[in-house]
Short mmCIF file of all heavy atoms in Angstrom, two decimals:
data_model
loop_
_atom_site.label_atom_id
_atom_site.label_comp_id
_atom_site.label_asym_id
_atom_site.label_seq_id
_atom_site.Cartn_x
_atom_site.Cartn_y
_atom_site.Cartn_z
N HIS A 138 -45.24 -59.43 -10.87
CA HIS A 138 -46.15 -58.91 -11.89
C HIS A 138 -45.58 -59.25 -13.31
O HIS A 138 -46.50 -59.63 -14.17
CB HIS A 138 -46.24 -57.35 -11.73
CG HIS A 138 -47.04 -56.94 -10.51
ND1 HIS A 138 -47.33 -55.68 -10.26
CD2 HIS A 138 -47.44 -57.60 -9.49
CE1 HIS A 138 -48.01 -55.57 -9.06
NE2 HIS A 138 -48.03 -56.79 -8.59
N SER A 139 -44.35 -59.11 -13.58
CA SER A 139 -43.92 -59.43 -14.89
C SER A 139 -44.07 -60.98 -15.23
O SER A 139 -44.36 -61.34 -16.32
CB SER A 139 -42.59 -58.89 -15.24
OG SER A 139 -41.56 -59.42 -14.36
N PHE A 140 -43.92 -61.78 -14.19
CA PHE A 140 -44.18 -63.25 -14.44
C PHE A 140 -45.61 -63.51 -14.74
O PHE A 140 -45.92 -64.31 -15.61
CB PHE A 140 -43.67 -64.07 -13.16
CG PHE A 140 -43.70 -65.47 -13.44
CD1 PHE A 140 -42.87 -66.10 -14.25
CD2 PHE A 140 -44.57 -66.34 -12.77
CE1 PHE A 140 -42.81 -67.52 -14.54
CE2 PHE A 140 -44.60 -67.71 -12.87
CZ PHE A 140 -43.73 -68.27 -13.81
N ILE A 141 -46.44 -62.78 -14.06
CA ILE A 141 -47.97 -62.94 -14.31
C ILE A 141 -48.26 -62.48 -15.78
O ILE A 141 -48.94 -63.24 -16.44
CB ILE A 141 -48.80 -62.12 -13.31
CG1 ILE A 141 -48.62 -62.77 -11.89
CG2 ILE A 141 -50.19 -62.04 -13.65
CD1 ILE A 141 -49.21 -61.92 -10.73
N ASP A 142 -47.62 -61.41 -16.22
CA ASP A 142 -47.74 -61.06 -17.60
C ASP A 142 -47.23 -62.04 -18.62
O ASP A 142 -47.86 -62.37 -19.58
CB ASP A 142 -47.02 -59.70 -17.87
CG ASP A 142 -47.84 -58.50 -17.38
OD1 ASP A 142 -49.02 -58.61 -17.32
OD2 ASP A 142 -47.17 -57.48 -17.04
N SER A 143 -46.01 -62.70 -18.18
CA SER A 143 -45.48 -63.72 -19.14
C SER A 143 -46.34 -64.89 -19.30
O SER A 143 -46.29 -65.62 -20.32
CB SER A 143 -44.11 -64.04 -18.64
OG SER A 143 -44.22 -65.02 -17.58
N LEU A 144 -47.33 -65.15 -18.32
CA LEU A 144 -48.25 -66.23 -18.48
C LEU A 144 -49.58 -65.82 -18.93
O LEU A 144 -50.62 -66.46 -18.79
CB LEU A 144 -48.39 -66.92 -17.07
CG LEU A 144 -47.14 -67.68 -16.54
CD1 LEU A 144 -47.35 -68.18 -15.08
CD2 LEU A 144 -46.76 -68.86 -17.44
N GLY A 145 -49.67 -64.56 -19.52
CA GLY A 145 -50.89 -64.08 -20.02
C GLY A 145 -51.96 -63.82 -19.02
O GLY A 145 -53.17 -63.82 -19.29
N GLY A 146 -51.56 -63.72 -17.77
CA GLY A 146 -52.52 -63.42 -16.70
C GLY A 146 -53.28 -64.63 -16.25
O GLY A 146 -54.04 -64.57 -15.32
N GLN A 147 -52.99 -65.80 -16.83
CA GLN A 147 -53.72 -67.04 -16.47
C GLN A 147 -52.95 -67.82 -15.43
O GLN A 147 -51.98 -68.58 -15.78
CB GLN A 147 -53.93 -67.91 -17.71
CG GLN A 147 -54.84 -67.27 -18.78
CD GLN A 147 -56.28 -67.02 -18.26
OE1 GLN A 147 -56.86 -68.00 -17.73
NE2 GLN A 147 -56.71 -65.85 -18.34
N VAL A 148 -53.20 -67.48 -14.14
CA VAL A 148 -52.29 -67.96 -13.04
C VAL A 148 -53.01 -68.36 -11.85
O VAL A 148 -54.24 -68.16 -11.62
CB VAL A 148 -51.32 -66.82 -12.67
CG1 VAL A 148 -50.37 -66.61 -13.75
CG2 VAL A 148 -52.18 -65.62 -12.26
N ALA A 149 -52.34 -69.04 -10.98
CA ALA A 149 -52.72 -69.39 -9.56
C ALA A 149 -51.72 -68.67 -8.72
O ALA A 149 -50.51 -68.80 -8.97
CB ALA A 149 -52.72 -70.88 -9.32
N VAL A 150 -52.25 -67.79 -7.79
CA VAL A 150 -51.40 -67.04 -6.90
C VAL A 150 -51.52 -67.62 -5.50
O VAL A 150 -52.62 -67.80 -4.98
CB VAL A 150 -51.77 -65.50 -6.89
CG1 VAL A 150 -50.80 -64.68 -6.01
CG2 VAL A 150 -51.78 -65.01 -8.37
N LYS A 151 -50.41 -67.95 -4.90
CA LYS A 151 -50.42 -68.73 -3.61
C LYS A 151 -49.50 -68.10 -2.55
O LYS A 151 -48.33 -67.93 -2.88
CB LYS A 151 -49.98 -70.15 -3.80
CG LYS A 151 -50.73 -70.89 -5.00
CD LYS A 151 -50.21 -72.31 -5.12
CE LYS A 151 -51.13 -73.04 -6.19
NZ LYS A 151 -50.87 -74.49 -6.17
N PRO A 152 -50.00 -67.86 -1.40
CA PRO A 152 -49.01 -67.54 -0.28
C PRO A 152 -48.19 -68.86 -0.11
O PRO A 152 -48.73 -69.94 -0.19
CB PRO A 152 -49.94 -67.20 0.89
CG PRO A 152 -51.32 -67.75 0.55
CD PRO A 152 -51.31 -67.93 -0.86
N ALA A 153 -46.94 -68.68 0.34
CA ALA A 153 -46.08 -69.91 0.48
C ALA A 153 -46.63 -70.70 1.68
O ALA A 153 -46.49 -71.96 1.61
CB ALA A 153 -44.60 -69.46 0.68
N GLY A 154 -47.11 -70.12 2.69
CA GLY A 154 -47.34 -70.86 3.98
C GLY A 154 -48.77 -71.33 4.12
O GLY A 154 -49.61 -71.17 3.11
N LEU A 155 -49.16 -71.76 5.29
CA LEU A 155 -50.49 -72.31 5.50
C LEU A 155 -51.48 -71.17 5.79
O LEU A 155 -51.27 -70.29 6.41
CB LEU A 155 -50.51 -73.15 6.84
CG LEU A 155 -49.62 -74.42 6.87
CD1 LEU A 155 -49.63 -75.06 8.22
CD2 LEU A 155 -50.05 -75.40 5.75
N THR A 156 -52.68 -71.35 5.11
CA THR A 156 -53.82 -70.45 5.27
C THR A 156 -55.13 -71.18 5.47
O THR A 156 -56.15 -70.69 5.03
CB THR A 156 -53.88 -69.45 4.15
OG1 THR A 156 -53.86 -70.25 2.94
CG2 THR A 156 -52.76 -68.47 4.13
#
Side-chain angles (χ1 to χ4, degrees):
H138 291 188
S139 59
F140 188 67
I141 291 171
D142 280 334
S143 78
L144 292 172
Q147 295 297 307
V148 290
V150 182
K151 310 181 172 189
L155 297 178
T156 50

